[in-house]
């Protein structure tokens, strides 16, 4: 079975440019999560979706960040304009919902460097 | 208050010995799940083990076991017979079911010495 797929795996861009990160969750999973990991702040939950609907976006740092999930098999995280402090590893994860807490399965991450 | 606390930034263990990685949590949600993830130097996050708040028995998965002490709100990870490949960052995480919240700890870096 294919796991969570993220693209690109690496992204280098210049400050001010728009960055779009992509995620394909595991088929059948109805929760999708976006995380950011840095040395300074550790792993932070940015936003998560349930059945394509954003449930909690309180972790989104500011208006420069936006996330969409147009269908059950695709999500994007966009940063516009990007800044050097956005440099981090961005993970997408998915899980199966239901009555019991379900394990989140992570993608390989996108390493973003903003110069 | 921190929702997930991992008090050991770094740990060393001798190969073939057992090691316990500490995790305490804070929640008022009666329904929650506790997870441990491994992150090797390559960067991917690997799910290891899960414990539900209503589970009566401690979870086990191969060499991994979760020492769940509900009254103390602790969910320590025990790795038996450590291997060199166990060297990695380990994260404790919690999902609050009713509050729909997710939290990760700051991680513990484990080094297994030959």
């Amino acid at each position: 079975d294919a796991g969570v797929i993220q693209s690109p795996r690496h992204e280098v861009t210049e400050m001010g440019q728009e960055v779009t990160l992509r995620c394909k969750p595991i088929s059948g999973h109805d929760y999708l999560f976006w995380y950011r990991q840095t040395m300074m702040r550790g792993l932070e939950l940015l936003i998560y979706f349930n059945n394509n609907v954003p449930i909690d976006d309180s972790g989104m740092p500011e208006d420069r960040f936006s996330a969409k999930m147009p269908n059950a098999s695709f999500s994007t995280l966009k940063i516009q304009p990007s800044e050097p402090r956005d440099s981090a590893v961005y993970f997408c994860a998915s899980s199966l919902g239901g009555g019991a807490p379900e394990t989140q399965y992570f993608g390989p991450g996108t390493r973003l460097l903003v110069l | 208050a921190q929702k997930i606390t991992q008090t050991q930034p770094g740990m060393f263990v001798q190969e073939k010995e057992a090691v316990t990685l500490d995790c305490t949590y804070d929640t008022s949600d009666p329904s929650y799940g506790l997870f441990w993830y491994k992150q090797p130097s390559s960067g991917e996050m690997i799910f290891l083990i899960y414990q539900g708040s209503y589970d009566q028995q401690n979870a086990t998965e191969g060499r991994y076991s979760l020492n769940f002490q509900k009254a103390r709100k602790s969910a320590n990870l025990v790795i038996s017979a450590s291997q060199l490949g166990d060297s990695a960052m380990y994260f404790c995480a919690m999902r609050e079911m009713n509050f729909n919240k997710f939290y990760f700890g700051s991680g513990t870096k484990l080094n297994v010495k030959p």
Side-chain angles (χ1 to χ4, degrees):
Chain A
D1 290 339
V4 176
I5 299 172
Q6 290 187 249
S7 64
R9 294 292 306 275
H10 301 271
E11 177 81 23
V12 180
T13 190
E14 292 187 344
M15 182 174 65
Q17 296 297 306
E18 177 180 294
V19 174
T20 299
L21 310 181
R22 296 172 177 80
C23 175
K24 177 178 169 56
I26 294 171
S27 178
H29 282 191
D30 51 1
Y31 281 82
L32 184 138
F33 307 82
W34 281 103
Y35 289 90
R36 177 173 69 176
Q37 187 177 34
T38 61
M39 288 293 292
M40 290 294 293
R41 301 172 71 95
L43 197 62
E44 305 172 275
L45 176 63
L46 301 177
I47 185 171
Y48 77 91
F49 296 83
N50 178 214
N51 291 322
N52 314 338
V53 176
I55 302 300
D56 185 353
D57 65 355
S58 58
M60 294 286 262
E62 50 197 274
D63 292 346
R64 297 185 297 107
F65 286 70
S66 62
K68 294 182 180 179
M69 192 165 186
N71 57 61
S73 59
F74 183 65
S75 177
T76 59
L77 177 67
K78 188 173 293 187
I79 308 172
Q80 165 63 17
S82 58
E83 296 181 4
R85 60 192 169 121
D86 302 330
S87 297
V89 179
Y90 290 81
F91 286 102
C92 176
S94 71
S95 73
L96 193 59
E102 287 288 345
T103 299
Q104 296 180 36
Y105 293 92
F106 282 73
T110 294
R111 293 181 181 273
L112 173 65
L113 178 61
V114 183
L115 302 174
Chain B
Q2 291 279 356
K3 284 290 190 176
I4 297 285
T5 302
Q6 293 181 253
T7 57
Q8 306 152 314
M11 290 275 288
F12 284 91
V13 64
Q14 201 69 39
E15 192 179 9
K16 299 181 185 177
E17 292 185 350
V19 63
T20 298
L21 306 184
D22 295 341
C23 173
T24 57
Y25 60 93
D26 181 34
T27 183
S28 57
D29 192 336
S31 180
Y32 54 91
L34 298 158
F35 306 84
W36 278 92
Y37 288 86
K38 173 184 178 181
Q39 187 176 41
S41 57
S42 51
E44 70 268 34
M45 293 285 283
I46 303 167
F47 164 72
L48 295 178
I49 196 167
Y50 160 79
Q51 179 86 42
S53 58
Y54 294 117
D55 293 344
Q56 295 296 312
Q57 293 191 330
N58 287 343
T60 60
E61 288 287 347
R63 294 186 298 111
Y64 304 109
S65 60
L66 201 152
N67 184 1
F68 181 44
Q69 298 188 43
K70 194 170 183 177
R72 298 177 63 181
K73 294 189 174 178
S74 74
N76 298 340
L77 176 70
V78 180
I79 305 175
S80 62
S82 299
Q83 301 173 357
L84 296 178
D86 293 334
S87 294
M89 281 288 284
Y90 288 81
F91 291 93
C92 179
M94 175 176 65
R95 177 175 174 175
E96 295 175 327
M97 282 303 296
N98 293 315
F99 301 157
N100 260 330
K101 291 289 189 182
F102 302 83
Y103 305 94
F104 274 78
S106 55
T108 295
K109 186 170 175 58
L110 177 67
N111 282 294
V112 180
K113 298 185 293 185

